[in-house]
Amino acid sequence: IHLSPIYEQPEEILIQEDQEKIFMQIINDLPQRAKEAFILYTIDGYSRKEIAQILGISSNAVEKLIKRATIKVEEELEKRGF
């Protein structure tokens, strides 16, 4: 009998769920525009040019928002031991 991973290692699933919650909390704490750009880029897979069109800002502004958001997310993850 082969059990699915959820039944084999429930503690690992709980840890992963906690990590996802922390990651989403960090993202939600970003300034609104940075959060929008970061989600559109890293999660939804839009290009910087597409994000610029969606948000009505320049590609350079999108790049800066994504860079700042990424740095902030990395700093927060590091603070929390990830």
Side-chain angles (χ1 to χ4, degrees), residues 1-81:
I1 252 179
H2 182 269
L3 299 175
S4 69
I6 193 165
Y7 295 111
E8 290 178 27
Q9 301 166 352
E11 63 279 348
E12 287 184 18
I13 299 300
L14 291 175
I15 290 169
Q16 183 178 353
E17 288 175 357
D18 285 344
Q19 290 173 345
E20 288 175 10
K21 285 178 188 175
I22 291 168
F23 182 69
M24 292 310 296
Q25 182 180 37
I26 291 168
I27 292 172
N28 283 329
D29 289 342
L30 293 170
Q32 186 62 34
R33 280 293 191 173
K35 176 172 46 176
E36 291 169 346
F38 185 81
I39 289 171
L40 287 169
Y41 185 72
T42 60
I43 296 174
D44 296 335
Y46 286 96
S47 71
R48 288 177 173 90
K49 184 178 179 181
E50 291 170 320
I51 297 167
Q53 292 172 339
I54 292 168
L55 298 180
I57 59 178
S58 71
S59 292
N60 286 341
V62 169
E63 190 169 334
K64 289 177 185 177
L65 287 170
I66 293 170
K67 185 175 182 177
R68 287 185 202 140
T70 300
I71 290 169
K72 184 67 174 171
V73 168
E74 288 173 351
E75 287 173 352
E76 290 299 318
L77 287 172
E78 189 175 317
K79 283 181 189 176
R80 296 166 189 205

